[in-house]
């Protein structure tokens, strides 16, 4: 159909479009313009949808390139479509095993291919379209790179010129894109590493809490938390209730961390892992705090009633924030680095970082 339109003398515009894309009609380009996600993935992880959306946009940009009769550029476009974007599509549709989820294998694979396509496309666009790509690269550079970055400064200088040298502008655009992508990838890797460490710490806290309960049940005469006379259940039952109220106290401090989730974060949910660590760590702090009070260590008196005991467990559970706030600070730094800033506050952020 496209060839018929191209041969019609009354359709000059369609003829030009058909001629420009004739070399791509038999490849995967036009079949790839729709999402490669199966129908069962409509409710899948957001990163898959984001990767597919970006892949489709890149396919559309590649389809709109006017490469003329340059075989080298046509071959490069074919490589970007049939190899890199195809691999990105396969990665975004691949089954993620627990090990791949832990290391971020598929998401790293998908976005590395997409970003490589963006960088290589700078060498394919014509001179008239190049300033548009340079402006996009400069915007991304200001979002991720330092204000005094020499590559970004060179690109800004070239963009400010009315007629910059094409070769220099093309090279500076590609270099800024590579630097911005490297900065974003590094921030996402740091977020994933911190997420994994928080998960390990949370698992250890849960294991230690379970071990304390088992030890209390195995040795009824050895009380980690001394039950009062008005407590008529078992000693390990008292310990479980204390841990539960300690987790409630920790939940109070987890709510602010979860509520501060930025709207433009990466794919690794650090605030959720922060909250889980606080809730898992709260019961241990509650048990240790009440054990110290029961042995007369500290300025406060031991609780005299069950309500006082549970209230102190909540207070000690919330007190775990004194330890986990260092984790909150590190997570905030990573989230700030991973989330791109807008043009209005990019200068303020970089000025603050150099102050």
């Amino acid at each position: 159909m496209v060839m018929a339109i191209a041969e019609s003398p009354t359709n000059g515009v369609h003829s030009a479009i058909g001629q420009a894309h004739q070399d791509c009609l038999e490849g995967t380009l036009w079949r790839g313009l729709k999402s490669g996600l199966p129908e069962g993935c409509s409710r899948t992880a957001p990163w898959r949808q984001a990767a597919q959306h970006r892949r489709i946009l890149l396919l559309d940009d590649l389809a709109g390139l006017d490469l003329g009769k340059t075989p080298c550029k046509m071959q490069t476009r074919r490589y970007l479509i049939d190899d890199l974007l195809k691999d990105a599509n396969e990665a975004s549709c691949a089954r993620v095993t627990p090990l791949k989820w832990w290391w971020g294998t598929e998401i790293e694979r998908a976005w590395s291919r997409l970003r490589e396509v963006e960088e290589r496309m700078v060498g394919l666009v014509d001179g008239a379209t190049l300033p548009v790509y340079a402006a996009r690269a400069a915007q991304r550079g200001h979002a991720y790179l330092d204000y005094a970055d020499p590559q970004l400064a060179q690109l800004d200088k070239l963009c400010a010129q009315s007629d910059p040298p094409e070769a220099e502008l093309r090279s500076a655009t590609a270099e800024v894109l590579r630097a911005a992508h490297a900065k974003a990838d590094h921030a996402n890797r740091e977020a994933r590493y911190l997420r994994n460490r928080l998960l390990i710490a949370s698992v250890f806290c849960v294991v230690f809490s379970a071990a304390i309960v088992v030890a209390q049940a195995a040795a009824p005469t050895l009380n980690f938390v001394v039950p009062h006379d008005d407590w008529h259940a078992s000693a390990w039952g008292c310990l479980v209730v204390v841990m539960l109220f300690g987790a409630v106290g920790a939940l109070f401090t987890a709510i602010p961390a979860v509520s501060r989730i930025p709207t433009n974060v990466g794919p690794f949910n650090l605030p959720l892992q922060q909250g889980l660590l606080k809730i898992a760590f709260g019961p241990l702090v509650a048990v240790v705090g009440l054990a110290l009070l029961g042995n007369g260590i500290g300025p406060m008196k031991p609780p005299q009633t069950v309500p006082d005991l549970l209230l102190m467990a909540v207070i000690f559970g919330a007190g775990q924030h004194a330890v986990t706030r260092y984790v909150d600070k590190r997570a905030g730094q990573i989230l700030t680095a991973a989330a791109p800033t807008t043009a209005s506050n990019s200068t303020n952020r970089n000025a603050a970082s150099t102050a």
Side-chain angles (χ1 to χ4, degrees):
M1 181 181 293
V2 177
M3 294 303 297
I5 294 175
E7 293 173 358
S8 175
T10 60
N11 293 282
V13 177
H14 295 288
S15 176
I17 296 176
Q19 184 66 29
H21 305 313
Q22 183 176 356
D23 62 303
C24 296
L25 290 177
E26 297 180 357
T28 59
L29 175 60
W30 305 109
R31 295 198 306 271
L33 286 179
K34 70 177 188 177
S35 175
L37 288 176
E39 294 182 1
C41 293
S42 58
R43 298 182 180 179
T44 186
W47 75 265
R48 296 181 186 268
Q49 302 287 357
Q52 281 292 328
H53 176 68
R54 187 58 189 155
R55 183 184 71 89
I56 294 171
L57 291 179
L58 290 174
L59 281 168
D60 191 33
D61 291 341
L62 286 168
L65 293 179
D66 185 7
L67 304 182
K69 298 295 184 180
T70 310
C72 181
K73 289 186 176 182
M74 293 180 182
Q75 186 177 4
T76 301
R77 177 165 65 178
R78 180 72 62 186
Y79 167 71
L80 298 182
I81 296 172
D82 291 346
D83 289 83
L84 296 184
L85 290 183
K86 181 181 178 181
D87 192 48
N89 180 48
E90 293 175 353
S92 64
C93 299
R95 178 176 176 269
V96 177
T97 61
L99 188 60
K100 287 184 177 181
W101 176 86
W102 182 263
W103 295 112
T105 304
E106 299 300 343
I107 187 173
E108 292 275 1
R109 173 186 164 195
W111 281 104
S112 64
R113 300 298 184 269
L114 294 174
R115 286 169 174 167
E116 186 175 354
V117 171
E118 292 183 33
E119 296 161 6
R120 289 175 177 263
M121 279 182 61
V122 177
L124 297 180
V125 299
D126 54 45
T129 313
L130 181 60
V132 178
Y133 283 79
R136 292 179 186 174
Q139 183 181 19
R140 187 167 300 181
H142 283 289
Y144 285 104
L145 303 178
D146 294 333
Y147 183 74
D149 186 86
Q151 295 173 331
L152 181 58
Q154 177 66 16
L155 180 59
D156 288 337
K157 181 180 178 181
L158 292 172
C159 290
Q161 299 178 12
S162 58
D163 187 18
E166 181 178 330
E168 294 183 17
L169 182 60
R170 199 180 297 273
S171 176
T173 301
E175 290 301 324
V176 168
L177 277 179
R178 293 189 185 99
H181 290 164
K183 186 72 174 291
D185 290 340
H186 176 74
N188 285 328
R189 282 193 295 270
E190 288 294 320
R192 186 178 69 252
Y193 295 154
L194 181 59
R195 179 204 66 182
N196 294 347
R197 290 194 293 267
L198 293 181
L199 280 176
I200 293 175
S202 300
V203 170
F204 272 110
C205 289
V206 173
V207 170
F208 289 152
S209 298
I212 292 175
V213 173
V214 171
Q216 179 69 83
T221 58
L222 180 62
N223 295 321
F224 295 101
V225 175
V226 180
H228 296 276
D229 296 336
D230 50 352
W231 179 268
H232 303 292
S234 60
W236 71 267
C238 177
L239 182 62
V240 170
V241 173
V242 165
M243 287 184 171
L244 177 63
F245 275 80
V248 171
L251 180 62
F252 294 153
T253 64
I255 292 176
V258 176
S259 64
R260 290 194 296 266
I261 300 177
T263 58
N264 51 355
V265 297
F268 306 106
N269 198 339
L270 284 182
L272 176 61
Q273 308 306 329
Q274 292 173 250
L276 291 178
L277 177 61
K278 291 175 182 293
I279 295 173
F281 190 49
L284 292 178
V285 178
V287 171
V288 173
L290 290 175
L292 291 176
L293 292 182
N295 286 277
I297 301 176
M300 301 177 63
K301 294 181 179 180
Q304 302 300 319
T305 62
V306 173
D308 292 341
L309 179 70
L310 300 182
L311 178 61
M312 293 303 300
V314 172
I315 294 175
F316 279 117
Q320 51 75 37
H321 180 67
V323 177
T324 58
R325 65 188 181 92
Y326 297 103
V327 176
D328 298 338
K329 181 179 179 181
R330 177 56 181 161
Q333 293 173 347
I334 292 177
L335 288 176
T336 302
T341 56
T342 59
S344 59
N345 61 11
S346 176
T347 303
N348 295 334
R349 183 197 71 170
N350 293 311
S353 65
T354 57

